Amino acid sequence: MGVKFRDAVMIIVIMSASMFSVSMANKDWFPAFNYTDWWSRFGNHHQNKTQQQPSQILVGGSEHWHFGYNYNDWAIKSAPFYLNDTLVFKYDAPNATSFPHSVYMFKSYGSFLKCDIKKAKMLASPVQGGGEGFKFVLHKWQPHYFACGERNGFHCNNGTMKFAVMPMFRPFWQRP
């Protein structure tokens, strides 16, 4: 019973954050329909050369991928994410002074909540985050659940080294 309630609350929080991020991204959007501008916006027009291209997004920004930073907050503040955007995970290779990190992707929301590393797929090992970092392209329109799987999921279980994104369709044209 408790897990189902927690799942429902988490879904509501994620949906609310998504709707909030979309509304903030479109803060100059205006709900009234302007009939005089219909043809220029929806008619047969040439492809806009300034159409947005996929972005490379550094996970955690300048903080990179490390223990102790809240990536759920980062994902909410960095939204929206679009199809074909690239997430770049940068982290230090294992050494005597730092913990090793990796990147796992969970297939389901339930395994993501429980940090069940056995049901996750390793995308990047502890040595793949150096240099240019590990790159993951958001090719599918579905939720993506990421976490650090090191120390048998401890970094994920403490709740900060995991996040979820739901890529959206990129707008066909930019609003003037």
Side-chain angles (χ1 to χ4, degrees), residues 6 22 25 39 42 59 69-70 83 95 115 117 130 139 146 156:
R6 187 176 71 193
V22 169
W39 184 255
F42 300 106
V59 174
Y69 184 74
N70 191 326
L83 284 173
N95 60 46
C115 292
I117 299 299
H139 283 301
F146 300 99
C156 175

Side-chain angles (χ1 to χ4, degrees), residues 10-114:
M10 187 59 124
I11 289 171
I12 290 170
V13 167
I14 289 173
M15 295 291 287
S16 298
S18 296
M19 291 183 341
F20 176 75
S21 64
V22 169
S23 68
M24 291 307 292
N26 296 323
K27 60 185 169 205
D28 60 340
W29 181 75
F30 182 118
F33 186 80
N34 181 355
Y35 291 99
T36 60
D37 194 28
W38 187 88
W39 184 255
S40 67
R41 293 186 59 215
F42 300 106
N44 185 15
H45 52 80
H46 298 288
Q47 183 176 359
N48 185 353
K49 300 292 183 195
T50 62
Q51 183 175 1
Q52 295 176 342
Q53 297 299 316
S55 301
Q56 283 204 6
I57 302 160
L58 183 59
V59 174
S62 62
E63 292 290 326
H64 297 189
W65 187 239
H66 70 85
F67 184 72
Y69 184 74
N70 191 326
Y71 293 93
N72 279 319
D73 286 347
W74 169 82
I76 290 168
K77 291 174 184 172
S78 299
F81 299 93
Y82 294 104
L83 284 173
N84 297 318
D85 280 352
T86 302
L87 298 179
V88 181
F89 293 83
K90 284 189 173 186
Y91 48 92
D92 295 329
N95 60 46
T97 61
S98 69
F99 294 114
H101 300 297
S102 57
V103 181
Y104 279 77
M105 187 165 74
F106 296 91
K107 292 181 182 180
S108 70
Y109 181 67
S111 61
F112 171 71
L113 281 179
K114 296 175 191 172

